[in-house]
Amino acid sequence: RLPKGDYQRFYNYDYKTGIWNVGDLSSGQSVTLKIKTLVATTNKIIVNLADVTSDTYDPNEANNHCNESITVPPEADLVITIDPDRTDVTVGDKVKIPITVVNNGPDTAVNTNAFIEIPDELRLLDFIPSKGTYDPETGIWTIGDLAPGEEVTLILNTEALKRGIVIVKASVTSDTYDSDLSNNNDTADIMVNDTPEEEHNADGVSQTPKMHATGNPIVMVLLALLTIAGVTLRRKD
């Protein structure tokens, strides 16, 4: 695609017809036309052609033609997002963490892989990939080829083990050129709180308050109440 410019006015070049009117060219003289273009396609071989003619007899027309090829590689814009169903939980709560990868195209993302980092504060219970395989030992989600517009999801079911701010990280790559790497990484913060019945001492060790024994069995308490009620009735009589 040719950007707008004053090529015709300065160089007698009409970019619509592709004709460059050079005019008379003396022996040994050379002229140059430089054209700036913008690549507006992907995954193609662009062939540029040029021919030259004049009204003067040319004894060697074999060098009046030229072509140059430009290879434009495929391109795929991958986007990864983390969207946990809960971001404020307590120790022992279950947290479902869907991780989504989408290929915004325009071409197929070949050999797509995602890496998920789960901190020790979360325990992985199980996982469900909509495509490919996930290895919890390495954190690698092997997706494979991802067509333009295709969207896949890996669901991680976890359990919160320890209080604090838990950060889940994910990234995605492929063998196909990606023009925008800013959306190939994502993080999600999950706040894990203590359970309501837990307290912590000065050393940060959790302590659960215990009920103190009264020393009075329930039967003795009931007998005491009945005795008090009987005395009260006798006084009224």
Side-chain angles (χ1 to χ4, degrees), residues 76-81 99-103 109 111-116 141 143-144 146 152 169-176 178 180-186:
D77 179 22
L78 293 174
V79 181
I80 190 168
T81 54
I99 299 174
T100 302
V101 174
V102 60
N103 177 14
N111 191 25
T112 303
N113 293 283
F115 175 72
I116 296 92
W141 176 19
I143 300 173
L146 205 58
V152 291
K169 301 178 181 179
S171 60
V172 64
T173 62
S174 80
D175 293 342
T176 305
D178 193 328
D180 183 8
L181 297 178
S182 64
N183 49 20
N184 288 41
N185 300 272
D186 195 23

Short mmCIF file of all heavy atoms in Angstrom, two decimals, residues 76-81 99-103 109 111-116 141 143-144 146 152 169-176 178 180-186:
data_model
loop_
_atom_site.label_atom_id
_atom_site.label_comp_id
_atom_site.label_asym_id
_atom_site.label_seq_id
_atom_site.Cartn_x
_atom_site.Cartn_y
_atom_site.Cartn_z
N ALA A 76 0.53 -13.53 14.38
CA ALA A 76 -0.58 -13.90 15.27
C ALA A 76 -0.43 -13.15 16.58
O ALA A 76 0.60 -13.24 17.24
CB ALA A 76 -0.59 -15.40 15.53
N ASP A 77 -1.47 -12.41 16.93
CA ASP A 77 -1.47 -11.64 18.18
C ASP A 77 -2.14 -12.48 19.26
O ASP A 77 -3.36 -12.63 19.29
CB ASP A 77 -2.21 -10.32 17.99
CG ASP A 77 -2.25 -9.50 19.26
OD1 ASP A 77 -1.39 -9.72 20.13
OD2 ASP A 77 -3.15 -8.64 19.39
N LEU A 78 -1.33 -13.03 20.17
CA LEU A 78 -1.85 -13.85 21.26
C LEU A 78 -2.13 -12.99 22.48
O LEU A 78 -1.36 -12.08 22.81
CB LEU A 78 -0.85 -14.95 21.62
CG LEU A 78 -0.61 -16.02 20.56
CD1 LEU A 78 0.51 -16.96 21.00
CD2 LEU A 78 -1.88 -16.81 20.28
N VAL A 79 -3.24 -13.30 23.16
CA VAL A 79 -3.63 -12.58 24.38
C VAL A 79 -3.95 -13.61 25.46
O VAL A 79 -4.67 -14.58 25.21
CB VAL A 79 -4.86 -11.69 24.13
CG1 VAL A 79 -5.22 -10.93 25.41
CG2 VAL A 79 -4.61 -10.72 22.99
N ILE A 80 -3.41 -13.40 26.67
CA ILE A 80 -3.68 -14.31 27.79
C ILE A 80 -4.25 -13.51 28.95
O ILE A 80 -3.80 -12.39 29.22
CB ILE A 80 -2.41 -15.07 28.21
CG1 ILE A 80 -2.75 -16.19 29.20
CG2 ILE A 80 -1.34 -14.14 28.77
CD1 ILE A 80 -1.62 -17.17 29.44
N THR A 81 -5.26 -14.06 29.61
CA THR A 81 -5.89 -13.39 30.75
C THR A 81 -6.14 -14.41 31.86
O THR A 81 -6.42 -15.59 31.60
CB THR A 81 -7.22 -12.73 30.36
OG1 THR A 81 -8.08 -13.71 29.74
CG2 THR A 81 -7.00 -11.58 29.39
N ILE A 99 -7.87 -19.57 33.03
CA ILE A 99 -6.84 -18.87 32.26
C ILE A 99 -7.19 -19.02 30.78
O ILE A 99 -7.32 -20.15 30.29
CB ILE A 99 -5.44 -19.44 32.56
CG1 ILE A 99 -5.13 -19.26 34.05
CG2 ILE A 99 -4.39 -18.78 31.69
CD1 ILE A 99 -3.85 -19.92 34.48
N THR A 100 -7.36 -17.90 30.10
CA THR A 100 -7.84 -17.91 28.72
C THR A 100 -6.77 -17.38 27.77
O THR A 100 -6.10 -16.40 28.07
CB THR A 100 -9.11 -17.04 28.59
OG1 THR A 100 -10.12 -17.54 29.47
CG2 THR A 100 -9.64 -17.07 27.16
N VAL A 101 -6.62 -18.07 26.65
CA VAL A 101 -5.72 -17.64 25.57
C VAL A 101 -6.55 -17.50 24.30
O VAL A 101 -7.30 -18.41 23.95
CB VAL A 101 -4.57 -18.64 25.35
CG1 VAL A 101 -3.73 -18.23 24.14
CG2 VAL A 101 -3.69 -18.72 26.60
N VAL A 102 -6.40 -16.37 23.62
CA VAL A 102 -7.11 -16.14 22.37
C VAL A 102 -6.12 -15.66 21.32
O VAL A 102 -5.17 -14.93 21.63
CB VAL A 102 -8.26 -15.10 22.55
CG1 VAL A 102 -7.71 -13.77 23.02
CG2 VAL A 102 -9.06 -14.94 21.27
N ASN A 103 -6.34 -16.09 20.10
CA ASN A 103 -5.51 -15.66 18.97
C ASN A 103 -6.27 -14.62 18.16
O ASN A 103 -7.25 -14.94 17.48
CB ASN A 103 -5.14 -16.86 18.08
CG ASN A 103 -4.33 -16.44 16.86
OD1 ASN A 103 -3.81 -15.33 16.79
ND2 ASN A 103 -4.21 -17.34 15.89
N ALA A 109 -1.45 -19.27 15.02
CA ALA A 109 -0.33 -19.30 15.96
C ALA A 109 0.15 -20.74 16.08
O ALA A 109 -0.54 -21.58 16.65
CB ALA A 109 -0.74 -18.74 17.31
N ASN A 111 2.34 -23.91 17.31
CA ASN A 111 3.03 -24.41 18.50
C ASN A 111 2.89 -23.43 19.67
O ASN A 111 3.88 -22.94 20.23
CB ASN A 111 4.51 -24.66 18.19
CG ASN A 111 5.21 -25.42 19.30
OD1 ASN A 111 4.59 -26.15 20.06
ND2 ASN A 111 6.53 -25.23 19.40
N THR A 112 1.66 -23.19 20.06
CA THR A 112 1.37 -22.26 21.15
C THR A 112 1.55 -22.95 22.51
O THR A 112 1.07 -24.06 22.71
CB THR A 112 -0.07 -21.73 21.03
OG1 THR A 112 -0.22 -21.12 19.75
CG2 THR A 112 -0.35 -20.70 22.11
N ASN A 113 2.23 -22.25 23.42
CA ASN A 113 2.45 -22.76 24.76
C ASN A 113 2.24 -21.65 25.78
O ASN A 113 2.61 -20.49 25.54
CB ASN A 113 3.87 -23.32 24.93
CG ASN A 113 4.11 -24.56 24.10
OD1 ASN A 113 3.66 -25.65 24.44
ND2 ASN A 113 4.83 -24.39 23.00
N ALA A 114 1.63 -22.01 26.91
CA ALA A 114 1.45 -21.06 28.01
C ALA A 114 2.16 -21.60 29.24
O ALA A 114 2.24 -22.82 29.45
CB ALA A 114 -0.02 -20.83 28.29
N PHE A 115 2.67 -20.68 30.05
CA PHE A 115 3.33 -21.06 31.30
C PHE A 115 2.59 -20.42 32.46
O PHE A 115 2.37 -19.20 32.46
CB PHE A 115 4.80 -20.63 31.30
CG PHE A 115 5.49 -20.89 32.61
CD1 PHE A 115 5.81 -22.18 32.99
CD2 PHE A 115 5.79 -19.85 33.46
CE1 PHE A 115 6.45 -22.42 34.20
CE2 PHE A 115 6.42 -20.08 34.68
CZ PHE A 115 6.75 -21.38 35.04
N ILE A 116 2.17 -21.23 33.42
CA ILE A 116 1.40 -20.74 34.57
C ILE A 116 2.21 -20.97 35.83
O ILE A 116 2.69 -22.08 36.08
CB ILE A 116 0.03 -21.43 34.67
CG1 ILE A 116 -0.83 -21.09 33.45
CG2 ILE A 116 -0.70 -20.99 35.93
CD1 ILE A 116 -0.74 -22.04 32.32
N TRP A 141 1.40 -25.35 29.79
CA TRP A 141 0.16 -25.74 29.10
C TRP A 141 0.47 -25.80 27.61
O TRP A 141 0.65 -24.77 26.96
CB TRP A 141 -0.92 -24.73 29.42
CG TRP A 141 -2.24 -24.95 28.71
CD1 TRP A 141 -2.69 -26.09 28.12
CD2 TRP A 141 -3.27 -23.97 28.51
NE1 TRP A 141 -3.94 -25.90 27.58
CE2 TRP A 141 -4.32 -24.61 27.81
CE3 TRP A 141 -3.40 -22.63 28.87
CZ2 TRP A 141 -5.48 -23.92 27.45
CZ3 TRP A 141 -4.56 -21.95 28.52
CH2 TRP A 141 -5.59 -22.59 27.81
N ILE A 143 -0.64 -26.04 24.14
CA ILE A 143 -1.90 -25.81 23.45
C ILE A 143 -1.85 -26.34 22.02
O ILE A 143 -2.81 -26.89 21.50
CB ILE A 143 -2.24 -24.30 23.45
CG1 ILE A 143 -2.36 -23.81 24.90
CG2 ILE A 143 -3.52 -24.02 22.67
CD1 ILE A 143 -2.52 -22.32 25.02
N GLY A 144 -0.72 -26.14 21.33
CA GLY A 144 -0.62 -26.53 19.92
C GLY A 144 -0.97 -25.37 19.02
O GLY A 144 -0.89 -24.20 19.41
N LEU A 146 -3.12 -22.66 17.11
CA LEU A 146 -4.32 -21.90 17.49
C LEU A 146 -4.75 -21.07 16.28
O LEU A 146 -4.03 -20.18 15.84
CB LEU A 146 -4.01 -21.00 18.68
CG LEU A 146 -5.17 -20.59 19.60
CD1 LEU A 146 -5.86 -21.82 20.18
CD2 LEU A 146 -4.67 -19.69 20.71
N VAL A 152 -9.15 -20.60 23.88
CA VAL A 152 -9.06 -21.81 24.70
C VAL A 152 -8.92 -21.41 26.16
O VAL A 152 -8.48 -20.30 26.47
CB VAL A 152 -7.87 -22.69 24.27
CG1 VAL A 152 -8.10 -23.30 22.90
CG2 VAL A 152 -6.57 -21.89 24.29
N LYS A 169 0.68 -15.98 38.03
CA LYS A 169 1.25 -15.40 36.82
C LYS A 169 1.07 -16.35 35.64
O LYS A 169 1.08 -17.57 35.81
CB LYS A 169 2.74 -15.10 37.01
CG LYS A 169 3.05 -14.14 38.16
CD LYS A 169 4.54 -13.94 38.30
CE LYS A 169 4.87 -13.01 39.46
NZ LYS A 169 6.34 -12.82 39.63
N ALA A 170 0.92 -15.77 34.45
CA ALA A 170 0.77 -16.59 33.24
C ALA A 170 1.34 -15.84 32.05
O ALA A 170 1.27 -14.60 31.98
CB ALA A 170 -0.70 -16.94 32.98
N SER A 171 1.92 -16.59 31.10
CA SER A 171 2.45 -16.01 29.87
C SER A 171 2.21 -16.98 28.73
O SER A 171 2.00 -18.18 28.94
CB SER A 171 3.95 -15.71 30.01
OG SER A 171 4.66 -16.90 30.30
N VAL A 172 2.24 -16.46 27.49
CA VAL A 172 1.96 -17.30 26.32
C VAL A 172 2.92 -16.94 25.19
O VAL A 172 3.29 -15.76 25.02
CB VAL A 172 0.49 -17.14 25.87
CG1 VAL A 172 0.21 -15.72 25.39
CG2 VAL A 172 0.14 -18.15 24.79
N THR A 173 3.35 -17.95 24.44
CA THR A 173 4.24 -17.77 23.30
C THR A 173 3.84 -18.74 22.18
O THR A 173 3.09 -19.69 22.42
CB THR A 173 5.71 -18.02 23.67
OG1 THR A 173 5.84 -19.39 24.10
CG2 THR A 173 6.19 -17.08 24.77
N SER A 174 4.37 -18.48 21.00
CA SER A 174 4.20 -19.41 19.88
C SER A 174 5.37 -19.22 18.93
O SER A 174 6.17 -18.28 19.07
CB SER A 174 2.87 -19.18 19.16
OG SER A 174 2.95 -18.08 18.28
N ASP A 175 5.48 -20.10 17.94
CA ASP A 175 6.54 -19.97 16.94
C ASP A 175 6.21 -18.92 15.89
O ASP A 175 7.08 -18.60 15.06
CB ASP A 175 6.77 -21.32 16.25
CG ASP A 175 7.34 -22.37 17.21
OD1 ASP A 175 7.88 -21.96 18.26
OD2 ASP A 175 7.24 -23.57 16.90
N THR A 176 4.99 -18.40 15.90
CA THR A 176 4.57 -17.39 14.94
C THR A 176 4.88 -15.99 15.47
O THR A 176 4.71 -15.74 16.67
CB THR A 176 3.07 -17.52 14.64
OG1 THR A 176 2.80 -18.87 14.21
CG2 THR A 176 2.63 -16.56 13.56
N ASP A 178 4.68 -12.39 16.74
CA ASP A 178 3.64 -11.67 17.46
C ASP A 178 4.04 -10.19 17.51
O ASP A 178 5.06 -9.84 18.11
CB ASP A 178 3.49 -12.23 18.89
CG ASP A 178 2.23 -11.74 19.58
OD1 ASP A 178 1.82 -10.60 19.31
OD2 ASP A 178 1.67 -12.48 20.40
N ASP A 180 2.52 -7.71 18.98
CA ASP A 180 2.17 -7.03 20.23
C ASP A 180 2.42 -7.98 21.40
O ASP A 180 1.59 -8.83 21.70
CB ASP A 180 0.72 -6.57 20.19
CG ASP A 180 0.33 -5.78 21.43
OD1 ASP A 180 1.23 -5.47 22.25
OD2 ASP A 180 -0.87 -5.46 21.60
N LEU A 181 3.54 -7.80 22.06
CA LEU A 181 3.90 -8.67 23.18
C LEU A 181 3.39 -8.15 24.52
O LEU A 181 3.56 -8.81 25.55
CB LEU A 181 5.42 -8.84 23.25
CG LEU A 181 6.08 -9.51 22.04
CD1 LEU A 181 7.60 -9.55 22.24
CD2 LEU A 181 5.53 -10.91 21.81
N SER A 182 2.76 -6.98 24.51
CA SER A 182 2.29 -6.38 25.77
C SER A 182 1.15 -7.17 26.41
O SER A 182 0.90 -7.06 27.61
CB SER A 182 1.85 -4.93 25.54
OG SER A 182 0.72 -4.89 24.67
N ASN A 183 0.42 -7.95 25.61
CA ASN A 183 -0.71 -8.71 26.14
C ASN A 183 -0.40 -10.22 26.22
O ASN A 183 -1.32 -11.03 26.29
CB ASN A 183 -1.97 -8.48 25.30
CG ASN A 183 -1.71 -8.66 23.81
OD1 ASN A 183 -0.73 -9.29 23.41
ND2 ASN A 183 -2.57 -8.09 22.99
N ASN A 184 0.89 -10.55 26.21
CA ASN A 184 1.28 -11.96 26.31
C ASN A 184 1.54 -12.40 27.75
O ASN A 184 1.95 -13.54 27.98
CB ASN A 184 2.53 -12.23 25.46
CG ASN A 184 2.24 -12.20 23.98
OD1 ASN A 184 1.50 -11.35 23.50
ND2 ASN A 184 2.83 -13.11 23.24
N ASN A 185 1.33 -11.49 28.70
CA ASN A 185 1.53 -11.79 30.11
C ASN A 185 0.36 -11.23 30.92
O ASN A 185 -0.21 -10.20 30.56
CB ASN A 185 2.84 -11.19 30.63
CG ASN A 185 4.05 -11.72 29.88
OD1 ASN A 185 4.62 -12.73 30.24
ND2 ASN A 185 4.45 -11.00 28.83
N ASP A 186 0.04 -11.92 32.02
CA ASP A 186 -1.01 -11.42 32.91
C ASP A 186 -0.77 -11.94 34.32
O ASP A 186 -0.13 -12.98 34.51
CB ASP A 186 -2.40 -11.86 32.41
CG ASP A 186 -3.51 -11.06 33.07
OD1 ASP A 186 -3.24 -9.93 33.54
OD2 ASP A 186 -4.66 -11.55 33.11
#
